[in-house]
Amino acid sequence: MQRNSTHISFTHTTQFTQVARLVTSKITELLSTQVFVVNCNNIIVASSKCERIGKVFHFQEQQETNYLRVPLHLKSEVGEVAIGEPFNGETISPRLAKVLVELIINQATVLNHRPNQQALKNQFVNHLLHGQIIDETEILRQAKLLGLDLSPPRAVILIDAAQYVLKSSAGESDGKNLEKATVRQRRRTQYAIGSIVNFFHLPDDTICADLGNGELVVLKASNTKNLGSWAERGNHTDSLNALWTNLAALKRAGDALLMRLRSDTGAAISIGIGRYHPGILGLARSYQDARMALSLGHRFNGCDRVYCLDRLGIAAFIGVADEQTKIELATHLLSPLDCELELLTTVEAFFARDCSPSATAKQLLIHRNTLNYRLDKIASLIGLDPRRFDDAVQIRLALLLRKLQY
């Protein structure tokens, strides 16, 4: 029965293919000879003759060429490397050629098993953000080995690119094509990371890592110098809580990054912005902020947006479990009124009188127009209008929570 060399199923993994290609390239370069690497079914996985890849290699039909055959083992997979005679007619000792090929196979196998720099960086950042490394000396040691500079103050930008990275292509949902889907996801992840790094322009101030499942994270240098064009000139934030300093610039950077990623990927992307927390260990808290903002934002408002705790409205006071975070959020929202005691008294009286303008004006012994002027000023300072229901609820909750601080 005639054999069909074009309809044989592939049973090798991506790792086997990578090793096969590396071995083929190196042997062809050093020995200047034809090379064929086959799997356990004699399917050609890699070759110096590209047109032969994917076909069956019939050793019994190649008697006119004296092939040197060397076993190739990679974990549970087996195959062979077949080497023909040199193109230039040189005579090579079979024993010497066999030893050289075995050395090349061993080197390729070791290189394939060694985690690359990006994989090590991803693992380190993942452990750091999840609080699995708490010794700052050890953190700095590992960061130095990976070429990461953690000296600038940094905040976390968490990016949900799952709709782009994990989107299945036609015919890739079954087990046979799982490997192809994995390669495609890895390629899309690298493309998204490249888009992020290019957007920020300065790779030294942007540490970007893959957290898996379509999630990417940026450890963004968050001081005014590194926020560049997103920082407001002449906007003094010394009086504000340090945790919220430069957050407005980070949110503007997040908005611009979302537009870039939408354009580059053609998919819906969501971004969570974390506050800056002091110290290297503060990165884990910044990540928790970003994670919570993204989770609550998705639940209440859907995807394809930029979320931050102070953009979530009532949802932040309801959904955030940590009481200290809610107190800090309340303090931040009301901070523009810290030096406006008259306005604070006015809004508290407004709520005490069930938001009735007439009753509030009567209690404060002021004209209704004066009350409206004060309420307008409150709205302009904190971005929340006490006369609107949702805004009033936020202000009321913030006032109550802030009292827990004292």
Side-chain angles (χ1 to χ4, degrees), residues 67-83:
Y67 282 98
L68 174 66
R69 298 165 63 176
V70 181
L72 171 60
H73 298 273
L74 182 66
K75 295 183 180 179
S76 60
E77 296 181 90
V78 294
E80 275 189 305
V81 180
I83 305 159

PDB file of all heavy atoms in Angstrom, residues 67-83:
ATOM      1  N   TYR A  67      23.293   8.396   5.913  1.00  0.00           N
ATOM      2  CA  TYR A  67      22.897   9.317   6.973  1.00  0.00           C
ATOM      3  C   TYR A  67      23.429   8.853   8.328  1.00  0.00           C
ATOM      4  O   TYR A  67      23.318   7.666   8.680  1.00  0.00           O
ATOM      5  CB  TYR A  67      21.371   9.438   7.055  1.00  0.00           C
ATOM      6  CG  TYR A  67      20.773  10.329   5.980  1.00  0.00           C
ATOM      7  CD1 TYR A  67      20.236   9.770   4.813  1.00  0.00           C
ATOM      8  CD2 TYR A  67      20.769  11.706   6.125  1.00  0.00           C
ATOM      9  CE1 TYR A  67      19.699  10.574   3.829  1.00  0.00           C
ATOM     10  CE2 TYR A  67      20.231  12.518   5.140  1.00  0.00           C
ATOM     11  CZ  TYR A  67      19.698  11.956   4.000  1.00  0.00           C
ATOM     12  OH  TYR A  67      19.171  12.762   3.019  1.00  0.00           O
ATOM     13  N   LEU A  68      23.998   9.802   9.054  1.00  0.00           N
ATOM     14  CA  LEU A  68      24.361   9.556  10.446  1.00  0.00           C
ATOM     15  C   LEU A  68      23.117   9.825  11.288  1.00  0.00           C
ATOM     16  O   LEU A  68      22.504  10.893  11.183  1.00  0.00           O
ATOM     17  CB  LEU A  68      25.497  10.496  10.867  1.00  0.00           C
ATOM     18  CG  LEU A  68      25.888  10.463  12.350  1.00  0.00           C
ATOM     19  CD1 LEU A  68      26.486   9.107  12.710  1.00  0.00           C
ATOM     20  CD2 LEU A  68      26.882  11.582  12.656  1.00  0.00           C
ATOM     21  N   ARG A  69      22.741   8.861  12.136  1.00  0.00           N
ATOM     22  CA  ARG A  69      21.502   8.996  12.914  1.00  0.00           C
ATOM     23  C   ARG A  69      21.846   9.073  14.401  1.00  0.00           C
ATOM     24  O   ARG A  69      22.524   8.187  14.942  1.00  0.00           O
ATOM     25  CB  ARG A  69      20.572   7.827  12.622  1.00  0.00           C
ATOM     26  CG  ARG A  69      20.138   7.774  11.164  1.00  0.00           C
ATOM     27  CD  ARG A  69      19.515   6.445  10.783  1.00  0.00           C
ATOM     28  NE  ARG A  69      18.296   6.165  11.521  1.00  0.00           N
ATOM     29  CZ  ARG A  69      17.527   5.078  11.299  1.00  0.00           C
ATOM     30  NH1 ARG A  69      17.876   4.199  10.345  1.00  0.00           N
ATOM     31  NH2 ARG A  69      16.444   4.873  12.013  1.00  0.00           N
ATOM     32  N   VAL A  70      21.364  10.147  15.041  1.00  0.00           N
ATOM     33  CA  VAL A  70      21.639  10.367  16.462  1.00  0.00           C
ATOM     34  C   VAL A  70      20.314  10.536  17.190  1.00  0.00           C
ATOM     35  O   VAL A  70      19.467  11.342  16.773  1.00  0.00           O
ATOM     36  CB  VAL A  70      22.513  11.625  16.673  1.00  0.00           C
ATOM     37  CG1 VAL A  70      22.801  11.822  18.161  1.00  0.00           C
ATOM     38  CG2 VAL A  70      23.804  11.526  15.884  1.00  0.00           C
ATOM     39  N   PRO A  71      20.067   9.794  18.278  1.00  0.00           N
ATOM     40  CA  PRO A  71      18.795   9.907  19.015  1.00  0.00           C
ATOM     41  C   PRO A  71      18.632  11.296  19.632  1.00  0.00           C
ATOM     42  O   PRO A  71      19.596  11.947  20.035  1.00  0.00           O
ATOM     43  CB  PRO A  71      18.922   8.842  20.113  1.00  0.00           C
ATOM     44  CG  PRO A  71      19.999   7.918  19.653  1.00  0.00           C
ATOM     45  CD  PRO A  71      20.950   8.770  18.851  1.00  0.00           C
ATOM     46  N   LEU A  72      17.376  11.722  19.692  1.00  0.00           N
ATOM     47  CA  LEU A  72      17.026  13.003  20.340  1.00  0.00           C
ATOM     48  C   LEU A  72      15.950  12.723  21.370  1.00  0.00           C
ATOM     49  O   LEU A  72      14.862  12.245  21.034  1.00  0.00           O
ATOM     50  CB  LEU A  72      16.522  14.004  19.296  1.00  0.00           C
ATOM     51  CG  LEU A  72      15.910  15.303  19.829  1.00  0.00           C
ATOM     52  CD1 LEU A  72      16.924  16.071  20.669  1.00  0.00           C
ATOM     53  CD2 LEU A  72      15.401  16.177  18.673  1.00  0.00           C
ATOM     54  N   HIS A  73      16.238  13.022  22.644  1.00  0.00           N
ATOM     55  CA  HIS A  73      15.290  12.800  23.737  1.00  0.00           C
ATOM     56  C   HIS A  73      14.974  14.142  24.398  1.00  0.00           C
ATOM     57  O   HIS A  73      15.881  14.891  24.763  1.00  0.00           O
ATOM     58  CB  HIS A  73      15.866  11.845  24.781  1.00  0.00           C
ATOM     59  CG  HIS A  73      16.164  10.475  24.247  1.00  0.00           C
ATOM     60  ND1 HIS A  73      15.227   9.470  24.204  1.00  0.00           N
ATOM     61  CD2 HIS A  73      17.306   9.958  23.722  1.00  0.00           C
ATOM     62  CE1 HIS A  73      15.766   8.382  23.673  1.00  0.00           C
ATOM     63  NE2 HIS A  73      17.033   8.658  23.374  1.00  0.00           N
ATOM     64  N   LEU A  74      13.684  14.419  24.571  1.00  0.00           N
ATOM     65  CA  LEU A  74      13.249  15.642  25.257  1.00  0.00           C
ATOM     66  C   LEU A  74      12.076  15.273  26.152  1.00  0.00           C
ATOM     67  O   LEU A  74      10.969  15.023  25.674  1.00  0.00           O
ATOM     68  CB  LEU A  74      12.832  16.718  24.248  1.00  0.00           C
ATOM     69  CG  LEU A  74      12.408  18.063  24.860  1.00  0.00           C
ATOM     70  CD1 LEU A  74      13.601  18.730  25.541  1.00  0.00           C
ATOM     71  CD2 LEU A  74      11.831  18.988  23.786  1.00  0.00           C
ATOM     72  N   LYS A  75      12.374  15.177  27.448  1.00  0.00           N
ATOM     73  CA  LYS A  75      11.373  14.713  28.413  1.00  0.00           C
ATOM     74  C   LYS A  75      10.842  13.347  27.967  1.00  0.00           C
ATOM     75  O   LYS A  75      11.584  12.394  27.840  1.00  0.00           O
ATOM     76  CB  LYS A  75      10.251  15.748  28.559  1.00  0.00           C
ATOM     77  CG  LYS A  75      10.713  17.071  29.163  1.00  0.00           C
ATOM     78  CD  LYS A  75       9.558  18.036  29.343  1.00  0.00           C
ATOM     79  CE  LYS A  75      10.040  19.338  29.952  1.00  0.00           C
ATOM     80  NZ  LYS A  75       8.933  20.326  30.112  1.00  0.00           N
ATOM     81  N   SER A  76       9.548  13.225  27.691  1.00  0.00           N
ATOM     82  CA  SER A  76       8.966  11.945  27.298  1.00  0.00           C
ATOM     83  C   SER A  76       8.948  11.752  25.791  1.00  0.00           C
ATOM     84  O   SER A  76       8.469  10.721  25.301  1.00  0.00           O
ATOM     85  CB  SER A  76       7.528  11.839  27.838  1.00  0.00           C
ATOM     86  OG  SER A  76       6.724  12.884  27.309  1.00  0.00           O
ATOM     87  N   GLU A  77       9.456  12.725  25.043  1.00  0.00           N
ATOM     88  CA  GLU A  77       9.425  12.645  23.586  1.00  0.00           C
ATOM     89  C   GLU A  77      10.759  12.122  23.047  1.00  0.00           C
ATOM     90  O   GLU A  77      11.820  12.421  23.597  1.00  0.00           O
ATOM     91  CB  GLU A  77       9.131  14.016  22.981  1.00  0.00           C
ATOM     92  CG  GLU A  77       7.755  14.550  23.338  1.00  0.00           C
ATOM     93  CD  GLU A  77       7.487  15.898  22.709  1.00  0.00           C
ATOM     94  OE1 GLU A  77       6.967  15.938  21.581  1.00  0.00           O
ATOM     95  OE2 GLU A  77       7.812  16.909  23.358  1.00  0.00           O
ATOM     96  N   VAL A  78      10.660  11.356  21.963  1.00  0.00           N
ATOM     97  CA  VAL A  78      11.860  10.820  21.334  1.00  0.00           C
ATOM     98  C   VAL A  78      11.824  11.109  19.841  1.00  0.00           C
ATOM     99  O   VAL A  78      10.756  11.251  19.247  1.00  0.00           O
ATOM    100  CB  VAL A  78      11.989   9.295  21.561  1.00  0.00           C
ATOM    101  CG1 VAL A  78      12.200   8.991  23.026  1.00  0.00           C
ATOM    102  CG2 VAL A  78      10.764   8.563  21.022  1.00  0.00           C
ATOM    103  N   GLY A  79      12.981  11.200  19.257  1.00  0.00           N
ATOM    104  CA  GLY A  79      13.091  11.416  17.826  1.00  0.00           C
ATOM    105  C   GLY A  79      14.512  11.124  17.397  1.00  0.00           C
ATOM    106  O   GLY A  79      15.297  10.504  18.148  1.00  0.00           O
ATOM    107  N   GLU A  80      14.864  11.536  16.199  1.00  0.00           N
ATOM    108  CA  GLU A  80      16.203  11.310  15.691  1.00  0.00           C
ATOM    109  C   GLU A  80      16.662  12.499  14.877  1.00  0.00           C
ATOM    110  O   GLU A  80      15.850  13.208  14.279  1.00  0.00           O
ATOM    111  CB  GLU A  80      16.243  10.070  14.787  1.00  0.00           C
ATOM    112  CG  GLU A  80      16.411   8.760  15.524  1.00  0.00           C
ATOM    113  CD  GLU A  80      16.671   7.616  14.551  1.00  0.00           C
ATOM    114  OE1 GLU A  80      15.850   7.427  13.621  1.00  0.00           O
ATOM    115  OE2 GLU A  80      17.706   6.931  14.710  1.00  0.00           O
ATOM    116  N   VAL A  81      17.976  12.690  14.877  1.00  0.00           N
ATOM    117  CA  VAL A  81      18.603  13.672  14.005  1.00  0.00           C
ATOM    118  C   VAL A  81      19.349  12.903  12.916  1.00  0.00           C
ATOM    119  O   VAL A  81      20.202  12.059  13.218  1.00  0.00           O
ATOM    120  CB  VAL A  81      19.588  14.568  14.782  1.00  0.00           C
ATOM    121  CG1 VAL A  81      20.219  15.591  13.851  1.00  0.00           C
ATOM    122  CG2 VAL A  81      18.885  15.262  15.946  1.00  0.00           C
ATOM    123  N   ALA A  82      18.989  13.169  11.662  1.00  0.00           N
ATOM    124  CA  ALA A  82      19.638  12.506  10.525  1.00  0.00           C
ATOM    125  C   ALA A  82      20.515  13.513   9.798  1.00  0.00           C
ATOM    126  O   ALA A  82      20.049  14.586   9.405  1.00  0.00           O
ATOM    127  CB  ALA A  82      18.592  11.933   9.576  1.00  0.00           C
ATOM    128  N   ILE A  83      21.798  13.167   9.634  1.00  0.00           N
ATOM    129  CA  ILE A  83      22.766  14.095   9.043  1.00  0.00           C
ATOM    130  C   ILE A  83      23.350  13.463   7.787  1.00  0.00           C
ATOM    131  O   ILE A  83      23.848  12.332   7.809  1.00  0.00           O
ATOM    132  CB  ILE A  83      23.903  14.405  10.038  1.00  0.00           C
ATOM    133  CG1 ILE A  83      23.308  14.925  11.343  1.00  0.00           C
ATOM    134  CG2 ILE A  83      24.884  15.412   9.463  1.00  0.00           C
ATOM    135  CD1 ILE A  83      24.234  14.794  12.506  1.00  0.00           C
TER     136      ILE A  83
END
